[in-house]
Amino acid sequence: MLMWLASAAGPASATPPPTGPPQVNWNNAFAYGLANPDAIPPGMNKPGCVPSPRHPRPVVLVNGMFESSYVSWSYLSTRLTAQGYCVYGTDYGRGTGTQLPLLQVNALTESAAEIGRFIDVVRRETGADTVDLVGHSEGGLVPLYYINHLGGDRTVHDMIGIAPITNGVRLYGLLTELRSDPALAQRVGDALPIVRDGAVGSDFVRATARGGMTRPGVRYLTISSRHDLVVETRESALPSGPSVTNIVIQDYCPNDLADHNTLAYDENIASLVDDRLAERPLTAPHCRPVAPFVHNASLAP
C-alpha cells in the first residue's frame, strides 16, 4: 500500500494521517494547517487508487516552501479527486533543528531526489508509467532538476508550474541585497538552503539549466500573476519552445488579483490546469474577479 509518509524517505507511520476538510480559501486552509500540521487534503494519497482510462496518469502535487500539502492543495486535491484523478503529494525537504520541522527548506538537489523517489513509489503503486506534476512556487523549480538530471524526462508527462520560481527569485531585490553581504548570505544559506538555492543565479538554478531548462517529451505549462509579490512573471517563464506554454493569468482574466498564495486557490487558474491535465486545448476560463489574500473558489470543475 502507498505509505503514510511525511517524507518519501522517512519511516512509515502505523496509522494514516488525518484528512482535513476541503478548503476554497487559502486563509482558512492556512489556519487549519497550523492547528492540524499532520493533516492532508481530501483525496490525497488514497490507498489502492487505480488510474482510469479517462485519467491514466496520477497527479503529483508539489508544494512550495513552508506550506504543508494541506495548506497548498486542500482546494486542488479535492477538485481533481472529484474529477476522477489519483492524487498524491508529500511534504519533502524537511529541515531540522526547530521545534516544528520546517517544510521544503533543504538543499534543492536533495529535495529533487526525494521527489523522484516519491514518484517511483506512486508509479509502482498505481502501475502507471508516467505522472503529471503540478507544482507551486519552489514546487515548480525542484521537479525541473529531477526531469533534467535524475531521469524524470522518462517518468513525467506534464509539468505544470503555478507561480513557479523557474529561474530563481530576487524577491524584488531582497535576495540580491542579501547576497551583497557574503557572510550574512552564508549564514542564511546554511540555515535555510532553499534561500540560497532558490535565488536567481544560484548554483542550483544554473545546474538545472545545464543542457536547457526543458526536455523533449515533456509538456510544460507555467501560470503566473502580475500581482504576485514573491515571484515576478519573468522569473516563472520557461524559454519558448514547441512544448512550452507560459501564461500570465491577467492576459486571460484582467480583473484577477490573486497573489502568490491564493494562486493555488484561484478558480481561473484551476480551469487551465483542468484543461492541460485532460489533454484539452487551453481555453479562456469563465473569469471571475479574484481579490488578493482572500479568495473563495468553487470546488466545481
Side-chain angles (χ1 to χ4, degrees):
M1 294 175 63
L2 187 76
M3 66 300 193
W4 309 114
L5 289 183
S7 161
S13 171
T15 58
T19 298
Q23 302 284 358
V24 294
N25 177 293
W26 183 85
N27 289 6
N28 292 346
F30 183 73
Y32 187 91
L34 282 180
N36 302 273
D38 295 327
I40 62 172
M44 181 173 279
N45 297 347
K46 181 180 179 182
C49 190
V50 178
S52 67
R54 185 180 178 188
H55 301 305
R57 294 182 299 276
V59 179
V60 178
L61 303 177
V62 188
N63 30 311
M65 185 173 68
F66 296 153
E67 290 190 1
S68 68
S69 293
Y70 180 83
V71 174
S72 287
W73 303 119
S74 59
Y75 167 54
L76 232 129
S77 177
T78 305
R79 180 186 179 105
L80 294 176
T81 300
Q83 295 178 54
Y85 291 95
C86 292
V87 178
Y88 298 91
T90 181
D91 291 333
Y92 64 94
R94 284 176 175 255
T96 58
T98 57
Q99 185 176 3
L100 291 175
L102 298 174
L103 305 175
Q104 293 81 240
V105 297
N106 283 354
L108 297 193
T109 51
E110 297 175 12
S111 290
E114 189 176 348
I115 290 169
R117 292 192 295 271
F118 183 76
I119 289 171
D120 287 343
V121 173
V122 170
R123 292 172 56 236
R124 184 166 61 247
E125 293 293 331
T126 60
D129 292 328
T130 58
V131 302
D132 291 333
L133 301 183
V134 183
H136 175 246
S137 193
E138 175 189 343
L141 168 60
V142 179
L144 295 179
Y145 187 91
Y146 164 67
I147 292 169
N148 292 352
H149 303 299
L150 300 178
D153 57 328
R154 299 187 297 273
T155 62
V156 175
H157 184 275
D158 275 296
M159 175 66 226
I160 302 172
I162 299 174
I165 61 170
T166 304
N167 302 295
V169 291
R170 297 173 180 82
L171 288 182
Y172 292 87
L174 180 61
L175 290 187
T176 304
E177 186 68 23
L178 173 66
R179 292 172 70 178
S180 69
D181 184 335
L184 178 59
Q186 180 70 41
R187 289 196 297 273
V188 173
D190 289 345
L192 295 172
I194 170 56
V195 176
R196 177 188 61 230
D197 291 352
V200 168
S202 72
D203 290 345
F204 178 81
V205 172
R206 290 199 301 270
T208 300
R210 203 168 51 239
M213 285 295 281
T214 61
R215 294 294 182 268
V218 180
R219 293 194 310 173
Y220 299 87
L221 171 65
T222 73
I223 310 173
S224 58
S225 170
R226 294 191 180 96
H227 298 285
D228 190 329
L229 298 180
V230 176
V231 185
E232 301 174 49
T233 57
R234 61 177 173 163
E235 294 170 341
S236 286
L238 283 161
S240 298
S243 62
V244 173
T245 304
N246 295 307
I247 288 175
V248 177
I249 191 60
Q250 285 77 25
D251 291 339
Y252 282 74
C253 302
N255 294 324
D256 191 315
L257 302 178
D259 72 342
H260 189 68
N261 292 322
T262 59
L263 282 164
Y265 286 77
D266 186 325
E267 190 171 349
N268 302 325
I269 288 173
S271 69
L272 294 171
V273 173
D274 291 342
D275 285 343
R276 175 49 58 94
L277 293 176
E279 307 270 3
R280 296 189 296 260
L282 298 174
T283 57
H286 298 294
C287 298
R288 53 181 293 170
V290 178
F293 308 116
V294 177
H295 172 205
N296 293 309
S298 166
L299 289 174

